[in-house]
Amino acid sequence: MLQSVEGIYRNGKIELLEMPADIEEAQVIVTFLPKLGLVNLPSRGINQEQAADLRVRLSRFAPDWELPEMDAYDAL
């Protein structure tokens, strides 16, 4: 199963923000993400007000998404 952890690329090295579970050695793929806040909303067909509303509505689900038993859905 694939596992993702966050990290920071700095001075030619990647610093993991958390340790991956049950992995001693593995091949990896590094994907560089855009800086936070640089989402092009119009390209996604929404404006800032719609994005703010969406964030508020989805935040209500966060406690459920973060429950340990929800990990079962990660493989789907």
Side-chain angles (χ1 to χ4, degrees), residues 2-68:
L2 297 176
Q3 187 177 154
S4 298
V5 297
E6 288 188 60
I8 305 237
Y9 175 79
R10 183 179 300 133
N11 299 323
K13 296 181 181 179
I14 296 173
E15 301 172 18
L16 298 180
L17 298 178
E18 58 185 291
M19 295 305 296
D22 301 323
I23 296 179
E24 291 183 24
E25 184 176 318
Q27 184 178 8
V28 299
I29 297 173
V30 177
T31 303
F32 291 90
L33 303 172
K35 291 185 178 183
L36 295 177
L38 298 179
V39 175
N40 185 339
L41 297 176
S43 74
R44 290 172 168 78
I46 62 175
N47 62 34
Q48 288 185 349
E49 293 78 23
Q50 292 168 319
D53 177 62
L54 181 60
R55 183 175 307 182
V56 168
R57 289 187 288 132
L58 291 176
S59 70
R60 296 176 186 144
F61 295 101
D64 291 331
W65 290 333
E66 294 167 0
L67 291 172

Side-chain angles (χ1 to χ4, degrees), residues 1 64-65 67-76:
M1 182 197 293
D64 291 331
W65 290 333
L67 291 172
E69 51 269 22
M70 296 300 280
D71 291 346
Y73 293 98
D74 290 347
L76 299 178

